[in-house]
Amino acid sequence: MLTGDAARRQDRAADAAAQVIRAERSRILATLIRVTGNVDLAEDATQDAVVRALQTWPRDGVPDNPRGWLLVVARRRAVDVIRREAHRAGKEAEAVALLDPAPDSPEAVRDDLLRLVFTCCHPALSLDAQVALALRTLGGLATAEVARALVVPEATMAKRLIRAKQKITRAGIPYRIPPAEELPGRLAGVAATVYLIFNEGYAAGTGDDVVRVGLADEGLRLARLLVELMPDEPTVLGLLALLLLQDSRRLARVDDDSRPLLLAEQDRSLWDRAAITTGVALVGEALRRTPVNPDRYVVQAAIAACHALAPSYHRTPWDAVISWYDVLLTVHDTPVVRLNRAAAVAERDGPAAGLALVGAIVGLAGYPWFHATRGELLHRLGRVDEAATAYRAALALDLNGPQAARLRDRLAEC
């Protein structure tokens, strides 16, 4: 029986071990997929190594080379599985090769991770499958955790992951880094997947929470991984900057009753200044790397930086914000971008100017924030009956619980 102090020390050791394992798991998996050529075998062997580490490291301490320890255990597990499949010709020789591998260089590990990133986010897979596979393989989430994060039944998620792996095999999706001529398009797909993961956590579409912390954290972790792997790519620098700047407001986004607070209502002293400093530095570096051809994530991060650096909401540099939205429209012209620009114009030029721009936007009938924005601008103009109709239209669509409650409050004021 452990004493209270001993139990706390073991808990701290277990937490430290879990953090190291989380950081190394995707690297182990990526290397094993390369050397075995089998995603399922690599996942099983990696999971076996993780379980053994969680059993022994809290007691014995984290080894000096945790990645080496995990890789040795995982390789041995893979060897055992291959040897049991003795009826498959040539597998004994393969097992021997696995048992005594050459050491992997840092460059080889980096390339293994890049291969895994681009395989998970291959355009032959549906976006839902890409997100699920990225969370499962790169994020190390269990199937049940992925299901909870994406708000689908566990059985449905299990089938989705199986189908995605089967698609990789049947379609002959190569486990490789794309050639230079394919990289820009493929990198955009990877960034979109990571951003979707973060955004579903940062602004949960359904459920009882404004922020689903685990999903937002996972998006940030994957963005940091991309920067680690591709430190010279403006897209990934801009992506991480955008996520850091948005997430810096996390603690200020809800009140004491967990109701959402608009940017104008937030206590800026609660914003994470360290995240803002890092995000702004990344924006600067990314802008220096894109002097001629703007990148959508870099431009969005520049907009976020304008908000993050403003000392108060009323001192937001709306001219700069709107100018950056004009740049964004040249590379990413979508109805949502136009809606966000219209909201910025309303802050600078008044609700009537913003409402005129909102009225010209098409394609957002199923987007709740189109109706909510229109309702807010009508409300400010004193057109309360029209505002109430717009609020009701927003409430008829998917919103998380706290967001819906806030809109109902606004509706009651009409």
Side-chain angles (χ1 to χ4, degrees):
M1 183 80 176
L2 293 173
T3 65
D5 288 344
R8 282 190 289 274
R9 282 196 300 271
Q10 183 159 331
D11 286 344
R12 287 194 295 269
D15 289 343
Q19 290 177 8
V20 172
I21 290 166
R22 184 70 180 277
E24 296 293 348
R25 183 191 178 281
S26 58
R27 292 168 171 78
I28 304 301
L29 176 62
T31 296
L32 280 183
I33 291 174
R34 169 173 57 83
V35 298
T36 66
N38 186 315
V39 175
D40 287 330
L41 173 58
E43 282 193 331
D44 289 344
T46 301
Q47 185 59 27
D48 185 75
V50 165
V51 170
R52 294 191 186 190
L54 289 172
Q55 290 172 341
T56 60
W57 290 5
R59 182 191 66 230
D60 302 336
V62 175
D64 293 336
N65 181 5
R67 182 179 186 278
W69 190 101
L70 288 165
L71 188 55
V72 166
V73 173
R75 284 183 187 271
R76 286 175 177 167
R77 171 62 176 165
V79 167
D80 290 343
V81 172
I82 292 171
R83 280 177 169 166
R84 283 202 300 269
E85 298 175 351
H87 62 282
R88 296 173 62 184
K91 289 299 178 181
E92 186 69 22
E94 181 180 328
V96 172
L98 272 175
L99 193 57
D100 187 24
D104 291 312
S105 67
E107 293 77 16
V109 174
R110 171 186 173 275
D111 287 350
D112 286 341
L113 271 170
L114 281 173
R115 290 185 189 98
L116 185 56
V117 165
F118 284 108
T119 301
C120 288
C121 302
H122 195 280
L125 300 172
S126 69
L127 186 56
D128 284 347
Q130 291 180 39
V131 170
L133 206 54
L135 288 173
R136 178 73 186 92
T137 57
L138 294 168
L141 275 64
T143 300
E145 292 175 310
V146 177
R148 284 196 298 272
L150 300 179
V151 199
V152 299
E154 184 176 350
T156 300
M157 181 53 62
K159 292 175 183 176
R160 183 178 299 174
L161 288 166
I162 289 170
R163 285 195 298 269
K165 294 173 189 175
Q166 291 173 339
K167 179 68 175 289
I168 290 172
T169 302
R170 286 198 306 269
I173 293 174
Y175 185 62
R176 64 174 174 82
I177 302 168
E181 63 272 15
E182 293 180 19
L183 190 58
R186 292 289 303 281
L187 185 55
V190 171
T193 297
V194 173
Y195 183 68
L196 191 154
I197 290 170
F198 170 82
N199 203 50
E200 185 54 33
Y202 175 80
T206 57
D208 297 326
D209 300 314
V210 173
V211 179
R212 285 149 69 186
V213 173
L215 214 49
D217 285 347
E218 193 55 40
L220 275 164
R221 197 185 72 81
L222 291 175
R224 289 189 177 99
L225 174 63
L226 292 180
V227 170
E228 178 187 334
L229 296 175
M230 294 174 278
D232 297 324
E233 287 291 341
T235 294
V236 298
L237 294 174
L239 176 67
L240 179 57
L242 175 61
L243 270 52
L244 285 169
L245 291 168
Q246 289 183 329
D247 193 63
S248 68
R249 303 193 293 267
R250 183 188 295 188
L251 294 179
R253 291 181 64 219
V254 295
D255 63 16
D256 292 339
D257 297 320
S258 298
R259 291 287 190 93
L261 295 173
L262 300 179
L263 195 59
E265 302 167 332
Q266 291 176 15
D267 179 356
R268 297 187 176 217
S269 70
L270 297 176
W271 288 6
D272 185 341
R273 291 295 157 186
I276 291 171
T277 299
T278 302
V280 169
L282 286 167
V283 172
E285 178 62 26
L287 286 171
R288 284 190 288 274
R289 292 176 182 273
T290 54
V292 177
N293 298 312
D295 176 271
R296 60 180 279 198
Y297 294 103
V298 177
V299 176
Q300 288 178 87
I303 295 169
C306 290
H307 291 293
L309 294 174
S312 69
Y313 186 77
H314 297 295
R315 294 173 65 185
T316 301
W318 292 112
D319 285 341
V321 170
I322 292 165
S323 294
W324 278 119
Y325 272 120
D326 290 338
V327 175
L328 183 58
L329 286 169
T330 67
V331 292
H332 189 59
D333 188 349
T334 71
V336 171
V337 172
R338 289 186 174 274
L339 179 66
N340 291 337
R341 183 184 182 279
V345 168
E347 294 301 316
R348 185 188 69 179
D349 300 335
L355 185 62
L357 294 174
V358 171
I361 298 170
V362 296
L364 291 181
Y367 186 59
W369 298 113
F370 169 77
H371 301 287
T373 301
R374 187 168 176 273
E376 181 63 29
L377 296 177
L378 288 164
H379 205 158
R380 293 182 191 179
L381 290 167
R383 295 159 61 178
V384 291
D385 291 341
E386 294 171 89
T389 299
Y391 287 142
R392 291 190 187 98
L395 287 165
L397 299 169
D398 287 337
L399 290 165
N400 64 48
Q403 290 167 340
R406 183 182 178 99
L407 282 183
R408 283 193 293 270
D409 289 345
R410 293 296 284 161
L411 176 60
E413 295 170 7
C414 291

